[in-house]
C-alpha cells in the first residue's frame, strides 16, 4: 500500500509472508543451474538481494560468475558484506555500510573503511548511496563524491534497483567505476522523479545527460580536459580562477560568483596540501584538499575543482 497525494508518496506499508521452506533447496538449485547456463552469454551478473531468502548464500553464484570471467554487481541488504566476498562492485546504502563498519562514518573515515573492505573482501569497487547527499564512489585507492542531482522527489521506490542496473551497464561497457556511477546517479534521479515503480529508459538518461548544467565535481586533469572540450563544443565559455581557499569567507564567495557570471562554466584550481604548506607555512592547510574541494563544490557557482601541486597554476592554464 502506498497512498499518494499530488503524485507524491505519503507512506508505504508492505505486507509479506516468508517463502515456504518446503522445496526451497530444489528451487535454489534450479536458480543456480539457470544462472550458470546463461553466464556464458553475459557480461555482468547482478545480484539484487531483497533479503527474502532466495540468495541468502550467494557464494556459489559469485564463484560461478568469477570462474566464467563475468563481472558481478551486488545490491546488498542489511547483512555482512563478507557474504558477497569476491563481488566486482557492491552498492550498499548508507545504513547498510554503517551496519558493516559499526559506526556512522563520513569523509576520510568512510574512505578508509571502504578501502579496507575492498581489500579484505576482494571488491574492485564500492559505491555508497546516500540519498540526497549523493554517492561515495570507492576503490581500494581513492574515494570520490558525486553530489545528488536536484530533482523533485515523488517516489523513491525502485531507486536502488535503477542505480545498480545503470552501474552494471557501465561495468559491462568497461567504463571506469566513477563514470558508471555518474550515469547511475542520473538514472536514479529520473526514477525518483516518477510516480510509482517505473522503468528508466536510455533516451531519458541521454536527455538528462545532455541537459545537465554540468558534471559538477572534483576532476583529474584528463577528466577536466574532456569536460571542457564538451562544453566548448556546445559553445560555452570557460572561466578559470585559482587559490588555496583554506579558510573560505564571504569575500571568496562574492568573488567566485562574480567570476562565474563572466561565462558559462567556472573552473576553480586549488593548491594541494603540500603546495599550501609551502606557500602558507607550517600548520597550513587547516582543511585538507578534499574538504576544501567539497566546500567549493557546495557553492552553486562552481562547476569543477582541480588541484595542482606546482608553484603556479600556469601548467593547468596551458593545458
Amino acid at each position: 500500500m502506498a497512498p499518494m497525494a499530488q503524485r507524491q508518496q505519503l507512506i508505504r506499508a508492505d505486507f509479506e509472508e516468508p517463502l515456504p521452506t518446503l522445496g526451497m533447496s530444489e528451487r535454489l538449485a534450479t536458480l543456480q543451474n539457470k544462472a550458470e547456463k546463461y553466464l556464458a552469454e553475459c557480461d555482468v551478473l547482478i545480484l539484487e538481494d531483497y533479503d527474502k531468502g532466495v540468495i541468502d548464500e550467494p557464494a556459489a553464484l559469485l564463484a560461478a560468475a568469477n570462474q566464467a570471467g563475468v563481472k558481478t554487481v551486488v545490491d546488498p541488504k542489511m547483512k555482512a558484506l563478507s557474504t558477497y566476498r569476491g563481488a566486482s562492485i557492491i552498492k550498499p546504502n548508507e545504513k547498510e555500510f554503517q551496519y558493516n563498519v559499526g559506526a556512522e562514518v563520513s569523509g576520510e573515515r568512510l574512505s578508509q573503511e571502504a578501502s579496507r573492505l575492498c581489500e579484505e573482501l576482494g571488491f574492485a569497487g564500492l559505491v555508497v548511496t546516500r540519498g540526497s547527499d549523493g554517492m561515495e564512489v570507492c576503490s581500494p585507492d581513492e574515494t570520490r563524491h558525486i553530489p545528488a542531482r536536484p530533482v523533485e522527489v515523488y517516489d523513491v521506490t525502485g531507486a536502488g534497483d535503477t542505480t545498480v542496473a545503470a552501474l552494471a551497464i557501465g561495468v559491462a561497457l568497461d567504463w571506469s567505476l566513477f563514470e558508471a556511477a555518474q550515469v547511475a546517479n542520473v538514472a536514479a534521479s529520473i526514477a525518483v522523479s516518477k510516480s510509482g515503480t517505473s522503468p528508466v529508459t536510455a533516451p531519458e538518461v541521454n536527455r538528462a545527460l545532455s541537459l545537465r548544467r554540468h558534471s559538477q565535481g572534483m576532476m583529474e586533469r584528463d577528466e577536466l580536459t574532456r569536460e571542457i572540450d564538451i562544453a566548448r563544443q556546445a559553445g560555452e565559455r570557460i572561466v578559470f580562477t585559482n587559490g588555496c581557499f583554506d579558510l573560505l569567507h564571504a569575500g571568496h564567495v562574492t568573488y567566485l560568483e562574480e567570476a562565474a557570471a563572466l561565462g558559462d562554466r567556472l573552473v576553480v584550481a586549488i593548491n594541494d596540501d603540500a603546495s599550501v604548506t609551502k606557500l602558507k607555512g607550517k600548520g597550513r592547510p587547516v582543511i585538507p584538499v578534499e574538504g576544501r574541494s567539497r566546500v567549493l563544490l557546495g557553492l552553486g557557482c562552481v562547476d569543477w575543482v582541480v588541484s595542482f601541486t606546482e608553484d603556479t597554476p600556469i601548467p593547468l592554464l596551458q593545458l
Side-chain angles (χ1 to χ4, degrees), residues 149 204-214 236 265:
R149 296 180 74 242
E204 287 176 318
V205 174
N206 286 332
R207 183 172 183 273
L209 288 169
S210 66
L211 292 178
R212 64 182 179 170
R213 177 176 172 268
H214 53 68
E236 295 174 334
R265 306 294 185 107

Side-chain angles (χ1 to χ4, degrees), residues 22-202:
L22 184 63
M24 175 65 83
S25 59
E26 290 81 1
R27 288 196 294 273
L28 293 180
T30 300
L31 174 64
Q32 181 77 24
N33 291 335
K34 284 187 175 181
E36 291 178 359
K37 175 184 175 181
Y38 290 109
L39 279 173
E41 305 170 18
C42 296
D43 296 305
V44 177
L45 172 67
I46 299 173
L47 295 186
E48 181 65 79
D49 191 349
Y50 294 111
D51 200 23
K52 309 302 179 190
V54 175
I55 49 175
D56 272 351
E57 298 179 6
L61 287 168
L62 291 168
N66 290 334
Q67 186 174 0
V70 174
K71 297 173 183 176
T72 51
V73 180
V74 175
D75 193 1
K77 270 297 182 184
M78 199 75 74
K79 60 175 69 170
L81 293 184
S82 58
T83 306
Y84 312 100
R85 184 185 298 273
S88 304
I89 309 297
I90 191 159
K91 186 206 72 63
N93 63 29
E94 192 167 23
K95 288 184 178 179
E96 290 158 354
F97 183 78
Q98 290 172 359
Y99 173 81
N100 275 269
V101 299
E104 187 172 325
V105 293
S106 60
E108 186 177 349
R109 171 84 192 285
L110 187 150
S111 180
Q112 291 171 347
E113 293 290 350
S115 295
R116 178 183 64 80
L117 287 168
C118 286
E119 185 175 349
E120 289 181 2
L121 302 177
F123 304 142
L126 189 151
V127 178
V128 183
T129 55
R130 305 178 65 193
S132 60
D133 289 327
M135 297 177 176
E136 308 298 329
V137 184
C138 313
S139 69
D141 301 321
E142 65 171 347
T143 296
R144 299 176 63 181
H145 177 71
I146 299 178
R149 296 180 74 242
V151 294
E152 185 75 21
V153 177
Y154 286 102
D155 192 341
V156 298
T157 306
D161 302 333
T162 301
T163 302
V164 78
L167 273 174
I169 290 172
V171 168
L173 295 171
D174 289 325
W175 296 347
S176 72
L177 179 57
F178 187 72
E179 290 170 329
Q182 284 180 307
V183 174
N185 188 48
V186 171
S189 71
I190 297 170
V192 300
S193 67
K194 296 184 177 189
S195 180
T197 304
S198 303
V200 174
T201 66

